[in-house]
Amino acid sequence: QKEVEQDPGPLSVPEGAIVSLNCTYSNSAFQYFMWYRQYSRKGPELLMYTYSSGNKEDGRFTAQVDKSSKYISLFIRDSQPSDSATYLCAMTKTGGGNKLTFGTGTQLKVEL
Amino acid sequence: DTAVSQTPKYLVTQMGNDKSIKCEQNLGHDTMYWYKQDSKKFLKIMFSYNNKELIINETVPNRFSPKSPDKAHLNLHINSLELGDSAVYFCASSPLATSTDTQYFGPGTRLTVL
């Protein structure tokens, strides 16, 4: 069983929809949580980063962390076709040498 | 003004060959990484170097050998290539090796072993 589980999708939504992407993890040593976006044939790029339980908002994106449930989410409001990509959750442990442990990624397609 | 660059972008080779992938970053970062992304898009760390010193070495066959000639470069040499080595290999860098440092990824090298 992987340390970080993520629904692989694919997920297809109409333009303007609210998208919810989720990850669960098993090791409470994970303290820092990120969401990366990866377009086809490109490298991952950091979208959101948070280290405490609660919500963090950046434009149309909201990252949510619930450490007690070991559950993180990314919400995308007013989704656009340009949001079509694979979304990867990732996390690190304190003192782990910045070793990113990734979820398996969720492929999202936003259709016109 | 590419931040993290990799060469080559595509690599097609026969089983048993030896090949190298090169990575360079111009961000002035101290720490560099190699990741492997399999056909199901699962991304897993292989190695990390901080200021030319190996600090993360995951359970990777010893056919894979990273080399960091200086802080801005991290190369990956693979001996005796196997079919299972086919994947996309990503290089990344971060300012330091602390858990909160953002990692910046290169465009990837798509390796196909025939």
Side-chain angles (χ1 to χ4, degrees), chain A residues 24-82:
Chain A
T24 58
Y25 60 98
S26 54
N27 193 333
S28 57
F30 287 122
Q31 295 293 317
Y32 307 101
F33 305 93
M34 299 119 213
W35 286 93
Y36 279 81
R37 178 174 60 195
Q38 186 177 19
Y39 290 114
S40 182
R41 304 258 167 175
K42 301 285 186 187
E45 56 178 342
L46 183 68
L47 198 58
M48 297 282 288
Y49 161 58
T50 184
Y51 60 87
S52 57
S53 283
N55 293 350
K56 182 177 180 180
E57 196 173 310
D58 184 1
R60 296 184 295 109
F61 299 90
T62 299
Q64 192 175 76
V65 173
D66 182 347
K67 287 187 178 180
S68 62
S69 302
K70 298 191 183 67
Y71 188 87
I72 68 170
S73 300
L74 178 71
F75 298 95
I76 308 174
R77 288 186 300 283
D78 188 24
S79 55
Q80 303 294 310
S82 58

Side-chain angles (χ1 to χ4, degrees), chain B residues 6 8-9 11 17 24 27 29 47 77 95:
Chain B
Q6 294 179 228
K9 194 167 183 180
L11 189 51
N17 283 351
E24 177 180 3
L27 297 167
H29 290 169
F47 303 102
H77 187 76

